[in-house]
Amino acid sequence: VFQTTRHIDAPPQPVWEVLSDVGRWPEWTPTIDSVARLDDGPLQLGSRAEVRQPRLPKATWEVTELLPGRSFTWEATGPGLRTVGRHEVAPDAGGSTVTLSIEQTGPLAFVAALAWRRLTQRYIELEAESLDARVTHDASA
């Protein structure tokens, strides 16, 4: 499991609004080239999106768990590999704590971890940093 946690100096609601609007991720994080939503409206159970990231294969993600205003989990599957991405926003003293994680399972999980270990960890850390910058910059603008 790859994971990062970051404090953001903003209440949970604006953090959640940015984090859950997956179609706009390419606007604020360099780890995402494009997101094509495969359905309309707010993120919900069963929502799907095609995501392109630098140096990684294109993946179709489907929301499998959702606690509105708090967290969502989505999954992408490919031959021999299942990837689960978790995104959580929790209130803390002075703002929010964001926790992002990626877990890979299946026969090719070990190979994927070896191939993309540094990249995966760097991407989730950069996504948390970028989310922080987006939310706190928007709040101060």
Side-chain angles (χ1 to χ4, degrees), residues 81-93:
L81 186 64
R82 179 172 154 253
T83 304
V84 177
R86 292 183 176 87
H87 312 77
E88 182 178 0
V89 180
D92 68 18

Side-chain angles (χ1 to χ4, degrees), residues 4-23:
T4 192
T5 301
R6 184 177 183 95
H7 169 79
I8 297 179
D9 287 327
Q13 188 58 34
V15 177
W16 173 254
E17 288 171 6
V18 172
L19 187 61
S20 65
D21 189 359
V22 298

Side-chain angles (χ1 to χ4, degrees), residues 1-8 15-16 19 25 70-74 84-92 96-102 121 123-125 127-129 131-132:
V1 177
F2 300 93
Q3 182 171 308
T4 192
T5 301
R6 184 177 183 95
H7 169 79
I8 297 179
V15 177
W16 173 254
L19 187 61
W25 283 7
R70 178 69 190 243
S71 67
F72 77 92
T73 299
W74 60 2
V84 177
R86 292 183 176 87
H87 312 77
E88 182 178 0
V89 180
D92 68 18
S96 305
T97 297
V98 171
T99 303
L100 306 177
S101 68
I102 291 285
Q121 186 64 41
Y123 275 11
I124 64 171
E125 290 171 5
E127 287 163 11
E129 291 170 19
L131 175 63
D132 187 351

Side-chain angles (χ1 to χ4, degrees), residues 1-140:
V1 177
F2 300 93
Q3 182 171 308
T4 192
T5 301
R6 184 177 183 95
H7 169 79
I8 297 179
D9 287 327
Q13 188 58 34
V15 177
W16 173 254
E17 288 171 6
V18 172
L19 187 61
S20 65
D21 189 359
V22 298
R24 296 185 69 182
W25 283 7
E27 295 175 13
W28 57 263
T29 182
T31 65
I32 303 290
D33 287 331
S34 68
V35 175
R37 285 286 307 270
L38 302 178
D39 46 59
D40 295 321
L43 207 60
Q44 59 188 338
L45 280 178
S47 289
R48 296 172 64 234
E50 183 178 273
V51 178
R52 292 183 184 270
Q53 294 184 265
R55 300 174 53 199
L56 291 173
K58 175 180 73 173
T60 299
W61 293 84
E62 182 174 340
V63 176
T64 56
E65 294 176 28
L66 177 70
L67 292 170
R70 178 69 190 243
S71 67
F72 77 92
T73 299
W74 60 2
E75 299 180 12
T77 56
L81 186 64
R82 179 172 154 253
T83 304
V84 177
R86 292 183 176 87
H87 312 77
E88 182 178 0
V89 180
D92 68 18
S96 305
T97 297
V98 171
T99 303
L100 306 177
S101 68
I102 291 285
E103 181 179 3
Q104 295 174 315
T105 58
L108 294 180
F110 180 75
V111 174
L114 284 178
W116 297 308
R117 176 184 324 257
R118 284 193 202 127
L119 185 66
T120 300
Q121 186 64 41
R122 179 66 190 130
Y123 275 11
I124 64 171
E125 290 171 5
L126 188 53
E127 287 163 11
E129 291 170 19
S130 300
L131 175 63
D132 187 351
R134 175 68 169 224
V135 172
T136 57
H137 176 268
D138 283 359
S140 65

